[in-house]
Amino acid sequence: MVVNIFKNKKAQTTSEDTIHLVLLFLSLSILAYLFVMLISADSQGQYTISPGLEEKILVHRLLSSRSCFVYVDNVNRAYPAIIDYNRFNENNFKKCFDNEDNNYAYYVSLEVDFPEGTEKIELQTDNYNPVELENENPPINVLVKKYPREEYFIGKFRVNYHIVYNR
Amino acid sequence: MVLTAAMGMVVGIGIVLMFISVGKDYATGEIFDRLYLARDISLSINAFYSVPGNALITYKEDLGDYILKIKDNYVILNPDTNTEGKYTYVSDRKKLDYYFPSTETMLITKQGNELYITQGMEEFNDVISCLPDVVEVNSLIIESSNNLVESILTDSGDEKTIKESDFTNEIVKDLSSKLYGGSINTKVVSFSNGYNLDKFSRDIKNYDYSLSINYGKDDDFSKNDIIAYVNDNPNTRILACNILSSLMKRNIGITKTIIKTISGDRVSGFDSKSMLKYGNNIIYLEIGNIKAKNEINLINRVYDISEAIYDGIIDAKNEEPIIKTDRDTEEELIPVIGDK
């Protein structure tokens, strides 16, 4: 039995075979790359952070960092959990909380009962989408100072956040 | 045929190398290590931003031979490799930008609203306790009085010798040239030029501050400590603090910074009683052992020091006022409560 290995007597392959080989190598390269990416994606899950830790740290920043909303006195001491109502604005929020590329989106609100009436300010990061919010967190009571008043008021400070999936 | 085979071999080798690289990282656990460290550093940075005051931590995890890059809200270990460890943090208005080719001990410092990350430094004495207050520096005497005895600095690497008085004189000259023409009226004096204490005492009273720059007397060349002797005037301490803080921010091998309040004892070659007697706004700065690999680097280090001192003076002078509610906007500043 004679087995013809070559297509013709001159041992030449056809252009069709060349294309098949090129496609094969290309596929192998892509598969290898996908394999590496899969491993990287899988290994991300090998280290897990305690649930809620990262979000809690970031929420804590809103209530204690001097560059966010906390009240700062005349000798430049910052008072955690005392909010300066005049500093609770979009500008300050963007400056103290640049969450670009972060895993979470945030919504922050402060509601205060002043003698002249209740006032509420709501702030959120650009990527916040209320539809994606799974659980709404209860508000916490904070002290609020509003210049030029000397007295403190009780405010309801609320922070909601959700995971950002499409980074 | 040959071309196809060659192409196939190249692609095959590339694929095999990639598999080996990934497999090795996986087998040794490095891939997990980088991810863990990236997350840990990111969380540490996030936590540090929450601190309302000043703080300092030494990051204790072994960073080994990893390249660390902190930029644009990302912490990346061994960037631009197949198995980099990457995680995000939430930054402040000033984005961090650090690149450490090899990391040993990492120091994370928060001072006011600013976060600094440095490597290899063990101590940061006193500098982070600067009160961020405004210091009115309108006039300054700069003095270099270390030349009671000329001594020789030997560079520990290349056996180059430079007289220590040359160093401090260079620092003084460079510093005064930087301040010249600005808002601070400066005068340069030196005891070695016959400028006696009587003249000095008159000038001290007419100028806001006096800064005496001297070489350190530490015989241990492995150290490069900087000591600022001040009296108990709080503004003088703030100015000294800003100068030391500015020096620490530069990568010039400073091992320690200390602020000492003098009490009348002799301070190195300078009679500290004179400081107390002649004025209350004197900073006596001991620069420490300036070392570098070669003479050019040595000279550059001298200019780094003068520039850092200049920055420190300007920082102290331009510090933000005592109270503002929104510092970076055009809105009218809200005055101190109780002023009106």
Side-chain angles (χ1 to χ4, degrees):
Chain A
M1 182 180 168
V2 177
V3 176
N4 276 334
I5 299 173
F6 299 107
K7 295 287 180 190
N8 53 44
K9 289 180 183 176
K10 291 184 180 174
Q12 287 171 338
T13 61
T14 63
S15 58
E16 201 175 288
D17 284 338
T18 309
I19 292 168
H20 286 153
L21 279 167
V22 168
L23 284 174
L24 175 67
F25 292 139
L26 204 59
S27 310
L28 277 175
S29 306
I30 292 170
L31 272 171
Y33 183 73
L34 282 173
F35 173 72
V36 170
M37 294 300 288
L38 263 171
I39 289 179
S40 299
D42 176 61
S43 56
Q44 293 274 352
Q46 298 298 323
Y47 280 101
T48 54
I49 304 172
S50 302
L53 175 63
E54 190 179 358
E55 307 93 288
K56 279 191 170 51
I57 289 175
L58 292 169
V59 169
H60 189 64
R61 182 199 289 197
L62 296 169
L63 278 174
S64 62
S65 170
R66 65 165 58 233
S67 57
C68 287
F69 313 121
V70 296
Y71 169 63
V72 179
D73 68 8
N74 58 352
V75 289
N76 217 18
R77 287 178 298 207
Y79 291 79
I82 299 180
I83 305 287
D84 185 336
Y85 192 79
N86 301 94
R87 298 185 72 201
F88 196 87
N89 54 51
E90 191 78 35
N91 207 19
N92 256 2
F93 186 46
K94 280 189 161 61
K95 281 177 188 168
C96 88
F97 209 79
D98 181 356
N99 76 323
E100 185 183 341
D101 295 326
N102 192 250
N103 297 322
Y104 297 92
Y106 287 83
Y107 161 92
V108 181
S109 72
L110 179 67
E111 189 176 341
V112 188
D113 289 325
F114 294 114
E116 57 270 21
T118 303
E119 292 180 26
K120 183 175 183 180
I121 303 176
E122 293 174 306
L123 307 169
Q124 61 189 53
T125 54
D126 292 337
N127 52 359
Y128 182 77
N129 185 354
V131 172
E132 294 191 26
L133 186 67
E134 291 179 4
N135 299 308
E136 192 156 324
N137 292 320
I140 56 172
N141 289 334
V142 294
L143 289 176
V144 178
K145 203 146 167 64
K146 183 180 181 184
Y147 182 83
R149 291 170 185 266
E150 299 248 355
E151 68 267 40
Y152 294 91
F153 301 94
I154 302 291
K156 290 191 178 50
F157 184 85
R158 185 195 296 266
V159 180
N160 289 331
Y161 49 83
H162 66 79
I163 297 175
V164 177
Y165 289 103
N166 54 344
R167 290 199 299 110
Chain B
M1 182 76 173
V2 172
L3 183 64
T4 312
M7 214 165 61
M9 209 146 60
V10 166
V11 171
I13 290 170
I15 290 169
V16 166
L17 284 173
M18 205 186 319
F19 276 120
I20 289 172
S21 166
V22 172
K24 174 185 159 290
D25 284 345
Y26 235 84
T28 56
E30 280 186 11
I31 190 168
F32 302 108
D33 213 25
R34 289 171 209 167
L35 284 168
Y36 160 70
L37 287 171
R39 286 189 178 194
D40 197 50
I41 294 171
S42 298
L43 282 179
S44 300
I45 293 174
N46 278 338
F48 238 63
Y49 274 123
S50 305
V51 174
N54 298 332
L56 157 83
I57 59 164
T58 304
Y59 190 76
K60 292 285 188 192
E61 292 288 346
D62 180 15
L63 295 169
D65 295 322
Y66 297 133
I67 298 170
L68 175 63
K69 182 176 174 182
I70 301 174
K71 187 170 177 161
D72 295 336
N73 292 21
Y74 279 100
V75 173
I76 311 172
L77 267 82
N78 281 27
D80 306 320
T81 60
N82 287 333
T83 51
E84 64 184 15
K86 189 174 179 178
Y87 206 72
T88 65
Y89 65 94
V90 176
S91 72
D92 208 332
R93 56 187 164 184
K94 183 185 171 187
K95 286 190 192 285
L96 303 177
D97 187 358
Y98 292 100
Y99 185 85
F100 300 124
S102 68
T103 46
E104 301 167 355
T105 307
M106 197 166 69
L107 205 67
I108 305 177
T109 310
K110 184 168 186 286
Q111 197 166 352
N113 291 341
E114 306 287 336
L115 205 72
Y116 303 104
I117 298 177
T118 50
Q119 56 175 137
M121 296 181 190
E122 292 293 327
E123 294 184 56
F124 214 164
N125 289 350
D126 269 0
V127 177
I128 61 169
S129 62
C130 296
L131 279 177
D133 204 344
V134 175
V135 176
E136 289 297 322
V137 186
N138 297 312
S139 54
L140 180 70
I141 286 182
I142 312 171
E143 193 270 332
S144 169
S145 67
N146 53 335
N147 16 48
L148 303 172
V149 172
E150 272 189 6
S151 54
I152 307 295
L153 163 71
T154 303
D155 182 74
S156 55
D158 297 344
E159 299 183 2
K160 301 238 180 320
T161 60
I162 299 177
K163 290 179 190 171
E164 66 173 39
S165 56
D166 291 345
F167 272 118
T168 52
N169 286 338
E170 274 305 309
I171 291 171
V172 165
K173 271 193 287 186
D174 194 53
L175 175 62
S176 60
S177 69
K178 284 180 164 54
L179 291 166
Y180 178 78
S183 59
I184 302 175
N185 177 27
T186 56
K187 179 172 184 173
V188 176
V189 304
S190 171
F191 286 128
S192 67
N193 292 344
Y195 196 89
N196 58 38
L197 279 174
D198 285 338
K199 281 190 199 170
F200 191 49
S201 66
R202 282 200 298 273
D203 277 330
I204 286 176
K205 284 170 186 154
N206 293 330
Y207 282 73
D208 291 337
Y209 294 90
S210 297
L211 176 63
S212 179
I213 298 176
N214 304 274
Y215 198 72
K217 300 296 182 286
D218 198 328
D219 292 328
D220 184 354
F221 276 104
S222 66
K223 289 196 282 187
N224 187 9
D225 299 348
I226 297 193
I227 306 173
Y229 296 93
V230 299
N231 64 323
D232 54 9
N233 182 315
N235 283 342
T236 314
R237 189 182 176 91
I238 290 169
L239 179 58
C241 199
N242 277 279
I243 291 172
L244 293 184
S245 178
S246 175
L247 283 161
M248 280 296 281
K249 285 179 204 172
R250 298 211 169 216
N251 186 20
I252 48 179
I254 295 169
T255 47
K256 191 192 287 188
T257 58
I258 305 170
I259 296 180
K260 287 188 179 175
T261 304
I262 57 166
S263 58
D265 298 331
R266 193 164 182 84
V267 173
S268 298
F270 191 80
D271 186 354
S272 64
K273 285 178 187 167
S274 304
M275 283 176 69
L276 296 173
K277 178 184 171 186
Y278 289 120
N280 59 358
N281 290 345
I282 302 176
I283 300 171
Y284 183 91
L285 198 66
E286 278 193 355
I287 297 292
N289 295 318
I290 303 172
K291 306 190 296 293
K293 289 179 188 170
N294 54 49
E295 196 161 329
I296 294 173
N297 284 348
L298 209 60
I299 300 297
N300 285 339
R301 191 142 288 186
V302 167
Y303 292 127
D304 280 341
I305 289 172
S306 62
E307 197 171 303
I309 295 174
Y310 170 78
D311 286 344
I313 295 170
I314 298 301
D315 282 345
K317 188 176 162 63
N318 289 345
E319 282 285 345
E320 292 171 352
I322 293 170
I323 185 169
K324 284 190 192 181
T325 55
D326 197 338
R327 292 172 185 156
D328 295 327
T329 68
E330 298 299 321
E331 294 170 13
E332 189 178 339
L333 299 175
I334 294 176
V336 176
I337 293 171
D339 260 4
K340 293 185 182 174

